[in-house]
């Protein structure tokens, strides 16, 4: 279990670094770090994981122990994890291919967008304009409510005092 965690964490830190560069809009650095992540991912999860971890649990453990339910169950889960690694590697290699031949990684290929980017950017502009308008209306409403409240306080002070 610990070896599986260590192999997975090798690439995860680099992916988080790429995400940070993406959020800071450092696209060139993000793209380079992503390619480095893809290489580490492939080496750790498609080469080391099956050749060391799965091999030792599948073959080497048979030399030491007799097969039992846990042997089949956990090896089945490790095989399922390897199938997921192959699928994720396909997605990562597809993104890397687009980076190398298109020049940049536009978006995450796992994202399913039903609208085109133009519609999305137009709707985002509309939302920003609406926020500005609502913010102005809200500020004006708050200011007028505050003015009315101050007038009421002044009137109350005059009546009481």
């Amino acid at each position: 279990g610990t070896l599986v965690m260590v192999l997975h964490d090798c690439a995860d830190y680099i992916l988080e670094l790429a995400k940070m560069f993406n959020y800071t809009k450092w696209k060139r650095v993000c793209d380079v770090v992503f390619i480095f992540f893809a290489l580490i991912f492939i080496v750790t999860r498609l080469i080391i994981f099956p050749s060391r971890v799965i091999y030792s649990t599948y073959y080497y453990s048979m030399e030491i122990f007799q097969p039992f339910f846990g042997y089949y169950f956990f090896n089945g889960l490790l095989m399922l994890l390897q199938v997921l690694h192959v699928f994720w590697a396909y997605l990562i290699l597809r993104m890397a291919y687009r980076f190398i031949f298109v020049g940049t990684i536009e978006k995450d290929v796992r994202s399913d967008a039903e609208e085109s980017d133009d519609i999305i950017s137009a709707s985002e502009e509309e939302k920003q304009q609406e926020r500005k308008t609502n913010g102005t209306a809200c500020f004006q409403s708050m200011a007028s409510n505050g003015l009315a409240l101050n007038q009421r306080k002044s009137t109350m002070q005059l009546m009481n005092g």
Side-chain angles (χ1 to χ4, degrees):
T2 304
L3 187 55
V4 173
M5 185 182 70
V6 168
L7 285 175
H8 283 80
D9 284 348
C10 289
D12 290 347
Y13 294 119
I14 299 168
L15 178 62
E16 295 303 323
L17 182 65
K19 285 182 182 180
M20 288 190 304
F21 285 124
N22 185 36
Y23 295 148
T24 59
K25 306 292 184 208
W26 290 15
K27 294 301 286 180
R28 180 83 74 194
V29 177
C30 174
D31 293 344
V32 170
V33 172
F34 178 79
I35 295 300
F36 187 62
F37 158 76
L39 292 173
I40 298 295
F41 182 92
I42 289 169
V43 168
T44 58
R45 298 188 190 187
L46 296 183
I47 297 172
I48 296 174
F49 182 74
S51 68
R52 299 294 182 187
V53 176
I54 292 179
Y55 178 81
S56 66
T57 61
Y58 195 74
Y59 293 108
Y60 184 65
S61 65
M62 290 298 288
E63 294 175 4
I64 299 172
F65 303 107
Q66 294 296 320
F68 60 100
F69 174 75
Y71 168 81
Y72 297 109
F73 179 73
F74 288 115
N75 278 324
L77 291 177
L78 289 174
M79 295 294 181
L80 179 64
L81 183 59
Q82 184 60 28
V83 169
L84 290 173
H85 288 163
V86 170
F87 174 70
W88 293 330
Y90 166 74
L91 295 176
I92 290 168
L93 289 173
R94 205 166 94 183
M95 288 179 72
Y97 175 83
R98 286 184 182 174
F99 168 69
I100 291 169
F101 292 106
V102 175
T104 185
I105 300 172
E106 290 298 321
K107 65 175 195 151
D108 191 347
V109 294
R110 296 175 298 169
S111 301
D112 293 332
E114 294 182 16
E115 301 178 16
S116 70
D117 291 336
D118 296 334
I119 295 172
I120 292 171
S121 62
S123 67
E124 286 182 16
E125 288 177 12
E126 290 172 3
K127 287 180 183 176
Q128 288 179 353
Q129 183 62 32
E130 184 179 334
R131 284 186 199 128
K132 287 179 184 176
T133 305
N134 287 343
T136 305
C138 181
F139 178 73
Q140 290 172 347
S141 174
M142 287 173 49
S144 64
N145 285 343
L147 181 61
L149 183 62
N150 285 338
Q151 288 175 350
R152 285 186 201 139
K153 285 182 181 177
S154 298
T155 305
M156 292 300 283
Q157 287 175 350
L158 288 174
M159 292 174 90
N160 289 336

